[in-house]
Amino acid sequence: MLWSLFFVGNAAAADALPVLLETARRALVQRDDATAGGSLRNAEVAAGASSMLVPPGELARMYYYAGVLAWSGGLQSQAMVSWRRLWRVTGWDPPDDGLLDDEGMSVLRALKNEGGGESARVDLSGELRGAVVLIDGSRADEGAVFVPGAHLAQVRCPDGAVTSVWLTLEGRSEVPVVCARHQLKTGATGANDAVLAEDANEDLVRASFFGAYLTDAAMRLSQLPAEAPPPRKEVALPPAARTPLPEAAPEPTALPEPAAAPVELPEALVCPGEPGWVGTPGGKDWKGELRGRNERGGVAVSEAGVTWREEAPLGDLSVRLQGSGDFGLRVRSRAGAEEGVAVRLRPGVIELVLLPETVIGSRSLATSGPHVLRVDVRERRVQVRLDGVLVLGGNASGRAVGGVAVEAEPGAWVGRMAVCPA
C-alpha cells in the first residue's frame, strides 16, 4: 500500500476523494505537512471504498502529491516511488504549480521516460458477462500486464454497482469479478452497454465510466470554502547588534546559568501533553565544552563545542531549539556512547548526521536569521522540521536513551529549548 490505511469517519466519505485531494493540495501550498499527509492517507482509503469508478487522473494526482510531500521532507527515494506510480497511470500530467523546487521538477520529468517493468499478469475470475474491470482507471482484460505493486482494482457490474479494492499484483494475480447472477436474468445490462459494444466511441466510454464521479466531484468542490492565499515568504531580520567587549575582556567561561526572564514561549517550544523540560541550555544540569555569555534571553556562543543534558525522557523524543547562526541538536541512541543523530544548521544548508560524522541527508535552504529547529525521534525514525516545516527525514541507529545536546560555532546564538516525550 502507498500509505497505512486510516478509517474514514462515515460512509459518505468513501466518495469524498476529490475533496481529500483538494485538501491535500491546499495543505501543500500552505506547507502544512500534517494535514497533507492525513488527507492523502484518507484519500487512499476513499479510493479503495469508492462506489464510483475513479478516473486515472485522480489516482495520478494522489501519487503526485504524495511525492511532493516526501520530497519536501527530504525523502527523495520515497518521492521517486510515488512519481513512478504516477507516470504508469494515464490521464494527468502535473503542471509546474510551484509545489516543487527546480530539482524536484527535473526528477519528476525525468522519471516519465523510464518505462518498462510490466511483469504482473492479471487473470479475471467469476461471472464476466456484462461486467467491466478497471485497474488504476483503465480497462483491464484477461491477460493484461502491469508493473508489480499496489493497484486500485474496480469492477462495475451490469446493474452499475461498483466494488473497489486495493490489490498487490505480482506474477500472475487473480482479480475476482463478483456480480449477482440475478442481474443478468433480469436484463439489467444497461450500465456497460456503451463500453462493451464493438464500435464503442471513446468519448462515450469515458462518460459512461467517469461521468458520475466527475459530476459528484464538481458538486463537492463547489461547496468548499475559498482557498487561503499562500504564506508570504518571511524576510529574515539580521541578528541584533551586539555590544563590543572591551579589549581587556576576561576569558570566556562555560555556559552560564541563564538569567530568568519573563519570556512568552511560542507554541513550537511548549511540550504538548506529558511534561518535559523547557528552558535555556546551560547551568548545573549541563556538561560540555560549549562556552558563551548570556544575551537576549539565551546564550551567545564564543567558543565552539557541545553541551549535553543527560536528564531527558527515555524513548521517543521531540526536541526543539531556538537559534541563529551555525548551531544544531544531538540526540543520543546509546548510553555512554557518541551514537545517535545530529541535525546541523549551517550557512545555506541543513544536515542530518549519523554520529559521529556520517551525513545521511541534507537540503539547501536559506538559513540566515533566527529559527526554531525541531528533531523528532520515534523508534528508528527521525524527522527534522525548521520553523514548523518538514525538511528532512531518515533512520537512526536506535531509540533515544535520554541524552540530548546543543552544539554551536562561535557567533551563533541559542535560546529557549524544549525536550518533550513524543
Side-chain angles (χ1 to χ4, degrees):
M1 300 290 286
L2 177 63
W3 300 92
S4 299
L5 291 184
F6 275 33
F7 289 108
V8 181
N10 54 64
D15 289 324
L17 178 59
V19 173
L20 291 166
L21 292 177
E22 175 62 12
T23 302
R25 185 194 68 80
R26 293 185 181 188
L28 290 171
V29 170
Q30 298 294 330
R31 289 172 285 186
D32 182 352
D33 295 333
T35 298
S39 296
L40 289 170
R41 288 189 289 270
N42 284 335
E44 187 185 11
V45 178
S50 180
S51 61
M52 293 179 285
L53 296 178
V54 177
E58 294 290 82
L59 298 174
R61 283 208 299 147
M62 184 172 69
Y63 299 145
Y64 169 64
Y65 296 147
V68 169
L69 180 63
W71 185 269
S72 68
L75 307 177
Q76 286 85 353
S77 60
Q78 183 175 319
M80 292 169 68
V81 169
S82 294
W83 291 338
R84 286 189 176 100
R85 298 183 74 184
L86 180 161
W87 292 123
R88 288 162 181 160
V89 176
T90 60
W92 190 69
D93 195 333
D96 189 355
D97 51 13
L99 296 180
L100 283 173
D101 55 24
D102 292 341
E103 182 184 2
M105 184 58 68
S106 296
V107 171
L108 172 67
R109 298 301 183 201
L111 292 173
K112 184 177 183 178
N113 301 318
E114 276 194 342
E118 292 83 0
S119 60
R121 173 188 167 121
V122 167
D123 292 330
L124 305 181
S125 64
E127 181 56 72
L128 303 181
R129 288 183 300 160
V132 294
V133 178
L134 270 61
I135 305 290
D136 294 335
S138 296
R139 185 174 173 183
D141 295 318
E142 182 77 17
V145 292
F146 296 88
V147 174
H151 296 267
L152 179 65
Q154 294 187 285
V155 176
R156 187 168 72 178
C157 293
D159 67 346
V162 173
T163 57
S164 305
V165 65
W166 287 98
L167 294 179
T168 299
L169 303 182
E170 294 178 350
R172 295 190 67 160
S173 301
E174 182 177 292
V175 177
V177 178
V178 182
C179 294
R181 290 184 177 274
H182 74 83
Q183 296 174 352
L184 295 175
K185 292 180 179 179
T186 58
T189 61
N192 297 321
D193 284 348
V195 176
L196 298 174
E198 293 184 3
D199 57 348
N201 177 276
E202 183 177 343
D203 292 335
L204 291 178
V205 169
R206 177 174 174 79
S208 173
F209 277 160
F210 308 121
Y213 179 96
L214 296 173
T215 300
D216 181 77
M219 182 273 294
R220 290 177 182 272
L221 294 176
S222 69
Q223 296 175 351
L224 290 179
E227 182 176 3
R232 293 183 298 177
K233 293 184 179 179
E234 296 184 2
V235 178
L237 298 176
R242 301 189 178 115
T243 304
L245 294 174
E247 293 184 3
E251 289 295 319
T253 58
L255 287 176
E257 188 78 43
V263 178
E264 183 178 350
L265 293 179
E267 184 178 352
L269 291 171
V270 175
C271 291
E274 297 182 45
W277 179 87
V278 179
T280 304
K284 62 181 180 180
D285 295 326
W286 295 78
K287 62 180 181 180
E289 67 275 20
L290 189 65
R291 297 177 183 272
R293 63 185 182 278
N294 287 331
E295 186 174 293
R296 292 181 286 139
V299 175
V301 177
S302 56
E303 186 172 324
V306 180
T307 183
W308 282 93
R309 179 180 177 84
E310 302 293 343
E311 295 182 10
L314 298 177
D316 297 344
L317 286 177
S318 179
V319 187
R320 304 100 181 273
L321 176 67
Q322 289 176 313
S324 62
D326 194 333
F327 74 102
L329 286 168
R330 294 187 183 188
V331 180
R332 179 177 285 163
S333 63
R334 182 179 172 188
E338 289 290 314
E339 295 184 14
V341 295
V343 177
R344 294 168 180 159
L345 198 65
R346 303 187 183 279
V349 67
I350 187 169
E351 296 177 339
L352 177 59
V353 180
L354 191 63
L355 293 174
E357 290 295 334
T358 302
V359 178
I360 59 175
S362 65
R363 184 172 179 183
S364 299
L365 41 72
T367 58
S368 61
H371 299 280
V372 174
L373 179 63
R374 172 176 169 178
V375 179
D376 294 332
V377 180
R378 292 180 174 86
E379 297 289 346
R380 291 172 51 87
R381 188 74 186 144
V382 181
Q383 289 187 328
V384 181
R385 288 176 169 80
L386 191 65
D387 302 325
V389 177
L390 182 65
V391 294
L392 284 175
N395 291 323
S397 58
R399 299 184 68 179
V401 298
V404 298
V406 174
E407 60 178 67
E409 296 293 321
W413 173 85
V414 292
R416 303 287 285 184
M417 182 178 182
V419 182
C420 312

